[in-house]
Structure formats: structure tokens, C-alpha cells
Amino acid sequence: MSRDPVMTSDAAAALIMARCDELAGISAMPEGILRAYLTEEHRRHNALAARWMVEAGLEVWQDAAGNQCGRLEGTRPGLPTLVIASHLDTVPDAGRYDGILGVLLGIETARRLAPHASELPFAVEIVAFADEEGTRFGATLLGSRAMAGTWDAGWWEATDAAGISMAQAFWDFGLDPEKIHDAARAPEDLVGYLEAHIEQGPYLEAAGRPLGLVSSIAGARRFKLTILGEARHAGGTPYERRRDALIGAAQAVLDVERIGRDRGVIATVGQLDTRPGAVNVVPGEVEFSLDLRAESDTLRDSAWDEIHAALSGFCTQRCLELVIEEIHSAPTVSCSPRLRQALAAGVAETGDHDPITLYSRAGHDAMAMAAVTEIGMLFTRCEDGISHHPEENVLETDVALALQALERAVWAVAAEHRE
Ligand SMILES: [Zn+2]
């Protein structure tokens, strides 16, 4: 057991990088990385994380949702908890840092805090969430939703690709679905929630900054849009008689990008299905997706209003019908000023006194935890903004800085903490 309080942040960063590689070796894919919820890989990554947590001086357990937890008591046992967490599950053919880096930074932060834990006015818990990506059952943030007490009973019926239900998968893993509420934390038992995560975007790298503060996590609105025209013989139908649904959809895709750019909103059409989809038939119906996200809900919603108006206007002109179905809507979640300040103090410790603040375009466990406590997020630079891909990469020197920042941030939270 190497419980060495004098390990430098450089040495700790090297250890974290080596452990990211070790975790990458736990995979359901022969080539590439895949770790999904309630699988053998989940069991193995929990066992490793538990071992590392114990080595860092934490008391460990697996909660009722399969999340791996480790606790460091403060001045006295049983105090409310500052949670530092991220996830160990992955998308198929994943990189080795998304989520993982946040968990390992948490464990090393705890190791550095451990010798001084008697000075902490709260407990610190490191949590490795078991499902954030939703790879196996479709629904995302399962681990953190269980901890936030917002588990959806409808999920028990959800099935994986092999037809196994969530409830069955719980039993098979050795968990009892009836006990899921034991994983939930009460707001009064929490001091706050911190998460370090790779940026998954190119902004920090472009700015030449290793670390960034997160202002908010964008909540997406998603739509299924259908444009109805009339399917007719391509040869026999002159232009003036056509009601071509694909022309409408093509214009819509261009409008979505233009309005998104103008308003600083991320607007994406990722799916498009043309019917009947024959080479010699004027398209009669096109269904396409729209994903909208922004720093604030107001910004996102006003962009939707403009997109809606543009599409409606064009469809009317072309004698097309527009059918709108909103299939998902999540509110944007803000990081609390208190925890942002603490993280800013942490980043200042690394020599950056005027840190970049950016909002997260991707979802994170912190979104779920915001239902029960204040959240704060720290982004670390990643190479070329690549994520959810085997080429995901981070610099070891950035990892060392992130560790310094997190440790300092915990003490900043402690300095402001009132029991
Ligand atoms: Zn992630």
C-alpha cells in the first residue's frame, strides 16, 4: 500500500494516466473500449476503483444502484458530504478519459486530503457512477439519477439489445431493484457536488488553457419534425405541380444552421428520412431530427421560435405541411456561484488568475445531482476536442494541474463552510 502524502502532483498525474490505461483494458469489445451498466466490465471496474479508493485511505461500498463510493470522514464522523464524482461506464468504442479522468482525479484528491481530514468541516466522498452514457438501456445518467433520488420507475421495464430488462439485470448483478431508493441522498446530507471532466470540445485548447470553469450545462430540446408534401411520379410531374417535401427539409437544414450560428446556439439536424425514398418519385414525406442546446434556456427557446417561424413560412410558400413533435426537453443547469468561486480559487492555485468560463454542450452527472445539491464543474483541455472516440487524449501535465485545482477547491469550500 503506497499511502504516500508527499507524492507530487506530477507523480499523481502519471499514476492517473497509467490507471486510465489499466481501465481501458476492461472492455466488452475485443478491440476498443466498451463498459456498460450491470455487466462483467462494470463489476471489474468497480473492483479496481474500490481497491484504489481503499489505498487512498477511503472507506468503500457499492451503493444500491451499483455506484462505487469511497468516503473520507471530516472533523468527526457522519458530517454532511462534499461529493466529487464522475462515471466509469463508456459509449461503444470509447476513449479512455471521458468520465474516468474525473473519478481518478477524485481519488487522488482524496488521497491528498486524507492526512489533513481532521481539519475538514465536512466528509468527502468520491463516487464512480456506474451509468452516465446510457449505452445499455438507452436512458442516461442512471447512476447519478439514483443518487439524486430521481430514478424513474419506468426504467425497470426498459430492455437491452438482448431483451434483458433493467430489473432482471439488477438481479443478475446482485442488486435488489426494491432497494434502489437506498442509493438516494438527502439534500441536508450534502455540502455540494464537484465534477472534473474532459471538455469534449476544442475551446480550451484553442485558448491555450489547461483548465476552464463551467458556467452551466446545456439542457437540450429535441424535436421530430415532419414535412408533408405529395409523392408523385418524378417524370410526369412538372415543377409547378410538385409539393416536394425534401426541398422543404433541405431548406430547413440550412435555416437551422444559419439561425444557430446567428444566435450562438448549437442546432443540429442529425437524422433525415425521405419517403417513399425512390429514385423516380417526388418525395412526399421527410422526417428529420433537431437537437438544440445553448448556455441558457432563454437563448435556446428564442432560437427555436425563429427556426419554427422560418420553417412554417417556407412550408406555406411551397404548399407543404409541417408537423412538430417535441420528444425531449431538459432544463439548462447552472453551476452555483459558491462552487464556481471555489473552483476559480483552485485554478488560481495553478497560476491562472483569470480562468476561462465556458458552458458545457454535453450532458454530465452533475446535471442529475443538481436536483439535490449545488454543483460545480471543472473542465480539462482535451486534444482537438475529440471525445467518444478512441483518439480521445489529454496531457499528463494538465492532469497534474487539475489535481492541484481540485484539492485547493475543496479547501476553498471548507473555508466558506458553515455548519
Ligand atoms: Zn462523461
Side-chain angles (χ1 to χ4, degrees):
M1 295 273 167
S2 66
R3 207 163 134 190
D4 183 3
V6 297
M7 178 159 55
T8 63
S9 54
D10 288 347
L15 181 67
I16 288 170
M17 295 297 277
R19 287 179 169 177
C20 286
D21 294 344
E22 191 172 347
L23 277 166
I26 301 177
S27 175
M29 292 170 76
E31 313 258 320
I33 304 169
L34 168 59
R35 291 191 301 275
Y37 194 35
L38 306 171
T39 60
E40 188 49 35
E41 290 70 40
H42 174 183
R43 202 184 300 284
R44 289 175 62 199
H45 72 59
N46 269 14
L48 256 191
R51 200 175 87 206
W52 295 337
M53 286 174 176
V54 168
E55 189 198 298
L58 308 183
E59 222 178 286
V60 300
W61 71 98
Q62 180 180 273
D63 77 6
N67 298 313
Q68 181 60 48
C69 308
R71 182 175 172 96
L72 182 68
E73 298 289 357
T75 320
R76 57 174 195 279
L79 289 171
T81 307
L82 177 68
V83 176
I84 305 176
S86 199
H87 60 96
L88 291 183
D89 68 312
T90 74
V91 294
D93 204 17
R96 53 187 66 194
Y97 304 104
D98 172 0
I100 295 111
L101 182 63
V103 173
L104 297 183
L105 278 168
I107 294 173
E108 288 313 305
T109 301
R111 187 206 300 270
R112 295 159 82 84
L113 294 170
H116 316 284
S118 63
E119 295 159 44
L120 281 171
F122 43 72
V124 171
E125 276 183 34
I126 311 306
V127 179
F129 287 121
D131 179 285
E132 190 268 356
E133 304 285 5
T135 300
R136 184 168 176 191
F137 293 100
T140 61
L141 305 173
L142 298 177
S144 44
R145 292 277 306 267
M147 187 166 281
T150 56
W151 185 270
D152 184 338
W155 291 337
W156 296 120
E157 310 294 315
T159 50
D160 67 5
I164 298 168
S165 71
M166 177 88 79
Q168 186 59 48
F170 260 63
W171 289 117
D172 294 347
F173 195 75
L175 294 170
D176 181 350
E178 298 275 314
K179 295 201 169 129
I180 188 70
H181 301 295
D182 292 354
R185 304 298 178 93
E188 61 271 22
D189 294 335
L190 296 172
V191 170
Y193 174 91
L194 295 178
E195 181 168 358
H197 203 284
I198 59 167
E199 183 202 340
Q200 301 180 287
Y203 298 100
L204 289 175
E205 187 180 61
R209 308 284 190 100
L211 304 174
L213 302 175
V214 178
S215 56
S216 67
I217 306 169
R221 279 179 84 178
R222 293 193 184 127
F223 299 86
K224 186 169 96 178
L225 301 170
T226 309
I227 292 182
L228 299 168
E230 190 183 18
R232 290 177 63 139
H233 194 292
T237 314
Y239 286 119
E240 53 274 18
R241 302 281 295 268
R242 290 186 182 197
R243 293 168 56 217
D244 186 331
L246 185 54
I247 301 279
Q251 183 62 45
V253 172
L254 293 171
D255 283 344
V256 162
E257 199 218 11
R258 175 180 54 79
I259 294 165
R261 277 177 183 268
D262 286 355
R263 290 180 170 261
V265 166
I266 312 289
T268 309
V269 176
Q271 298 167 324
L272 191 142
D273 185 19
T274 304
R275 295 171 200 143
V279 70
N280 55 354
V281 181
V282 175
E285 180 178 338
V286 177
E287 187 184 295
F288 58 103
S289 63
L290 173 63
D291 177 286
L292 277 178
R293 43 187 93 197
E295 186 161 21
S296 74
D297 291 344
T298 322
L299 196 60
R300 180 196 62 188
D301 295 345
S302 66
W304 164 244
D305 291 343
E306 191 180 340
I307 289 169
H308 184 194
L311 269 53
S312 300
F314 188 76
C315 284
T316 306
Q317 246 178 52
R318 287 262 176 173
C319 296
L320 300 167
E321 192 187 335
L322 173 67
V323 182
I324 297 163
E325 189 188 340
E326 183 160 1
I327 52 176
H328 170 88
S329 178
T332 294
V333 169
S334 293
C335 292
S336 86
R338 175 176 68 105
L339 296 179
R340 266 168 74 171
Q341 247 170 35
L343 287 165
V347 177
E349 180 87 356
T350 69
D352 183 355
H353 295 273
D354 183 24
I356 283 197
T357 299
L358 62 175
Y359 76 96
S360 176
R361 280 85 172 156
H364 295 292
D365 290 305
M367 287 177 104
M369 290 302 289
V372 273
T373 192
E374 290 180 19
I375 60 157
M377 277 197 83
L378 178 72
F379 270 168
T380 61
R381 169 167 62 184
C382 62
E383 191 178 318
D384 200 24
I386 293 172
S387 180
H388 284 190
H389 188 276
E391 280 171 29
E392 207 171 76
N393 199 16
V394 298
L395 293 172
E396 192 173 306
T397 45
D398 289 0
V399 174
L401 295 173
L403 183 58
Q404 290 169 22
L406 263 184
E407 184 190 4
R408 181 75 202 96
V410 172
W411 289 114
V413 176
E416 294 297 316
H417 184 73
R418 315 234 185 291
E419 274 188 60

